[in-house]
């Protein structure tokens, strides 16, 4: 299984964070990826981080056109802010069969938080989303892909059954920690093809495996 992660699509409707711009893709780039995923949907999981308005305005209709489902990891501190999803958008995504998950509250790197802050970030974002969509929230998208052993423990303790990282490559169905690859606007068609077919050089594959073991077992905060 390959996890594909998107952030924003089209023109941003808010001021972007530092280093965020490359993670926005055009509607055409997005459409090209969806058309390919739709050829073999069982091999892919599509996710969206940050809760941008384009999740609702651009991604939702395109996904429906292709008969695809996706997961949306929302920052609850931004709900209703300019350029972000509001409660009605989140409900519409959920009612259309999409999975809603947490990306935390304030877009912070979770390993840098104290135990109490981390607990708050994971629990109250989850409670807020459950309140909005009236469904169980059990999945989280890890901000900036930054996690360590303490973060994974806190996620499990807060009731999450699945956490999505940004380690790239594939994963087996049913695993707790699921790596994804973020698609960027500056990727060439060749780059995108390599991701969709999970082509990675042996050296990159080894580095990824080592990095994942380190992050899973160490406390870095
Ligand atoms: Zn994010």
């Amino acid at each position: 299984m390959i996890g594909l992660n998107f952030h924003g699509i089209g023109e941003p409707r808010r001021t972007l964070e530092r280093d965020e711009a490359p993670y926005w893709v055009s509607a055409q780039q997005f459409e090209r990826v969806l058309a390919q995923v739709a050829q073999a949907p069982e091999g892919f999981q599509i996710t969206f981080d940050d809760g941008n308005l384009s999740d609702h305005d651009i991604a939702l209709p395109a996904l429906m056109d292709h008969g695809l489902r996706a997961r949306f990891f929302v920052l609850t501190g931004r709900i209703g802010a300019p350029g972000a999803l509001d409660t009605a958008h989140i409900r519409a995504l959920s009612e259309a069969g999409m999975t809603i998950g947490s990306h935390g509250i304030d877009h912070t790197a979770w390993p840098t938080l104290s135990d109490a802050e981390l607990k708050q970030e994971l629990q109250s974002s989850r409670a807020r989303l459950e309140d909005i969509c009236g469904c169980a929230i059990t999945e989280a998208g890890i901000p900036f892909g930054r996690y360590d052993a303490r973060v994974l423990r806190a996620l499990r303790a807060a009731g999450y059954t699945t956490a999505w990282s940004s380690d790239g490559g594939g994963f087996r169905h049913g695993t707790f920690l699921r790596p994804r690859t973020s698609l960027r606007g500056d990727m060439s068609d060749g780059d995108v093809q390599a991701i969709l077919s999970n082509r990675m050089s042996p050296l990159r594959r080894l580095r990824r495996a080592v990095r994942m073991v380190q992050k899973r077992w160490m406390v870095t905060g």
Side-chain angles (χ1 to χ4, degrees):
M1 190 81 78
I2 309 281
L4 302 175
N5 190 31
F6 292 94
H7 293 80
I9 306 164
E11 281 303 309
R13 303 293 173 82
R14 60 176 172 78
T15 312
L16 296 184
E17 289 178 49
R18 196 160 62 90
D19 303 328
E20 186 188 346
Y23 290 95
W24 282 67
V25 300
S26 70
Q28 293 77 6
Q29 286 173 313
F30 179 63
E31 178 57 37
R32 280 205 295 275
V33 172
L34 281 199
Q36 288 203 52
V37 168
Q39 308 278 316
E42 62 288 340
F44 297 95
Q45 300 275 355
I46 299 173
T47 72
F48 296 82
D49 281 359
D50 302 345
N52 288 302
L53 191 55
S54 57
D55 290 358
H56 175 269
D57 290 359
I58 300 175
L60 177 60
L63 288 162
M64 302 290 277
D65 273 355
H66 288 284
L68 295 169
R69 300 271 169 95
R71 292 164 159 81
F72 293 85
F73 299 113
V74 177
L75 284 166
T76 58
R78 281 192 196 163
I79 294 172
L85 299 173
D86 65 18
T87 56
H89 297 135
I90 295 168
R91 254 180 240 119
L93 286 164
S94 173
E95 281 162 13
M98 305 296 157
T99 300
I100 305 297
S102 171
H103 197 48
I105 305 169
D106 288 326
H107 219 212
T108 46
W110 291 345
T112 67
L113 300 178
S114 70
D115 287 348
E117 288 166 340
L118 182 57
K119 189 173 169 191
Q120 158 81 3
E121 182 87 10
L122 299 181
Q123 290 188 346
S124 69
S125 61
R126 180 164 177 242
R128 175 93 200 274
L129 292 167
E130 289 191 334
D131 218 39
I132 291 169
C133 76
C135 58
I137 301 294
T138 60
E139 303 197 11
I142 301 172
F144 317 109
R146 288 187 55 190
Y147 64 91
D148 60 12
R150 185 177 65 106
V151 166
L152 298 182
R153 267 201 312 275
L155 279 159
R156 289 183 197 268
Y160 292 92
T161 58
T162 309
W164 296 80
S165 73
S166 307
D167 293 302
F171 61 90
R172 269 189 218 96
H173 195 75
T175 49
F176 175 78
L177 185 62
R178 302 186 189 179
R180 305 175 289 180
T181 302
S182 287
L183 295 179
R184 300 162 46 125
D186 58 4
M187 283 177 168
S188 69
D189 283 346
D191 295 336
V192 174
Q193 291 318 315
I195 291 164
L196 293 179
S197 55
N198 198 16
R199 281 200 308 271
M200 229 189 243
S201 70
L203 181 61
R204 243 191 100 205
R205 203 173 287 278
L206 179 66
R207 282 200 183 126
R208 166 190 180 263
V210 170
R211 200 173 57 233
M212 282 185 78
V213 167
Q214 284 175 336
K215 286 159 91 176
R216 276 184 103 124
W217 298 106
M218 286 166 60
V219 172
T220 56

